[in-house]
Amino acid sequence: MRTSLIQFGVDQDDSVNTRRTKAASLVRAQRDADLVVLPELWTVGAFAFRDFEAAAEPAAEGPTAEAMSAAARDAGVWLHAGSVVERAADGALYNTSLVFGPDGDLVATYRKIHRFGFDRGEATLMAAGTTPVTVQAAGATLGLATCYDLRFPELFRALTDAGAALLVVPAGWPAARAGHWTLLARARAVENQCYVLACGTAGTHADVPQAGRSAVYDPWGDPVGELPDATEQVLTVDLDLDRVAAVREEFPALKDRVL
Ligand SMILES: O=C(O)CCC(=O)C(=O)O
């Protein structure tokens, strides 16, 4: 399976519409991939809190879903379109990931469970999701998580228990803690014996320099592709899905769980 992680940059001189057009054209350029991934909250910027209200949209029928559905269909790829600021029917905001099939159908949504910011930012502006989500896509079971979720290994264990072989983590992770981003993503791969696809954001937005450093770790924890910095670029990697079962058979640590 070929995956392309688009380390997209949120240019705040652009309108949300322009960002959508740019992201859609980057997705359309990934026709050779089976699964394409975009980062967290790229329509607005994960740290552009003041813009969340204005950028909020319905998850399934909003303009981002429409643009990403068309881009997935045109490219003929499975698309994890990162996340949007979802406005739910009751008016609450969620940080919601969207996954589309190659026919453009929305096949999964995931509301970020762990909100970042302690007593400010996302943690006060958005409601928390409650449900771990897995979805069949591109011949594998994907487990969905978003950015700060990476610090909570119990979510990833639940996704692994639900059959995930690929843990997909779009993020807007700050450069200030770039070491944690790569360490934790790799740890999630090692402890769950899964591929981890960690798709970061490029550049700087809302005065927060981004870590970038998108990476794919295999079920042994080895990096199979890593971007070295936070420039806007695409990381394309071929995955051997049989490697998940092979690693679990060769080193069956998951079977020794007690709790
Ligand atoms: O945990 C961190 O250090 C960063 C998390 C974050 O930026 C987010 O979830 O938006």
Side-chain angles (χ1 to χ4, degrees):
M1 183 222 275
R2 177 165 294 179
T3 186
S4 288
L5 278 53
I6 301 176
Q7 184 167 283
F8 189 73
V10 180
D11 182 342
Q12 290 193 292
D13 291 335
D14 286 342
S15 67
V16 174
N17 260 334
T18 301
R19 285 185 211 125
R20 274 192 205 107
T21 306
K22 282 186 178 175
S25 103
L26 284 165
V27 171
R28 286 190 174 91
Q30 312 309 317
R31 289 175 191 277
D32 289 346
D34 300 297
L35 172 67
V36 177
V37 185
L38 278 162
E40 179 188 29
L41 295 180
W42 55 267
T43 56
V44 59
F47 284 88
F49 310 127
R50 266 181 273 168
D51 301 332
F52 282 6
E53 270 292 329
E57 56 185 302
E61 281 124 30
T64 301
E66 205 175 300
M68 292 299 107
S69 162
R73 194 173 51 238
D74 291 349
V77 297
W78 292 87
L79 173 63
H80 185 313
S83 65
V84 297
V85 182
E86 175 194 358
R87 184 178 304 285
D90 65 359
L93 303 186
Y94 291 88
N95 183 340
T96 302
S97 294
L98 310 173
V99 182
F100 297 89
D103 51 6
D105 282 356
L106 180 65
V107 294
T109 60
Y110 162 67
R111 289 172 166 169
K112 185 178 181 183
I113 291 176
H114 304 93
R115 296 160 302 162
F116 181 62
F118 310 110
D119 54 359
R120 52 185 290 275
E122 180 186 43
T124 56
L125 297 170
M126 290 192 176
T130 52
T131 314
V133 174
T134 58
V135 59
Q136 294 298 321
T141 305
L142 312 190
L144 308 186
T146 306
C147 202
Y148 189 49
D149 281 334
L150 195 56
R151 294 187 182 272
F152 300 88
E154 60 276 18
L155 170 60
F156 291 80
R157 191 42 63 87
L159 294 169
T160 303
D161 283 346
L166 264 64
L167 302 166
V168 187
V169 191
W173 199 282
R177 295 180 295 282
H180 295 185
W181 165 239
T182 51
L183 177 72
L184 293 170
R186 196 166 179 181
R188 300 294 88 88
V190 173
E191 71 201 359
N192 295 298
Q193 304 186 306
C194 284
Y195 278 102
V196 170
L197 278 51
C199 183
T201 300
T204 293
H205 65 263
D207 296 325
V208 180
Q210 295 292 296
R213 293 175 66 173
S214 298
V216 176
Y217 300 100
D218 78 2
W220 189 251
D222 286 336
V224 286
E226 281 180 306
L227 296 180
D229 55 28
T231 52
E232 188 169 271
Q233 51 191 310
V234 178
L235 173 65
T236 297
V237 172
D238 288 318
L239 310 182
D240 172 6
L241 295 179
D242 293 340
R243 187 139 168 76
V244 176
V247 166
R248 289 178 182 181
E249 195 179 315
E250 178 190 320
F251 193 84
L254 284 174
K255 286 194 185 147
D256 280 339
R257 286 171 58 197
V258 175
L259 299 177

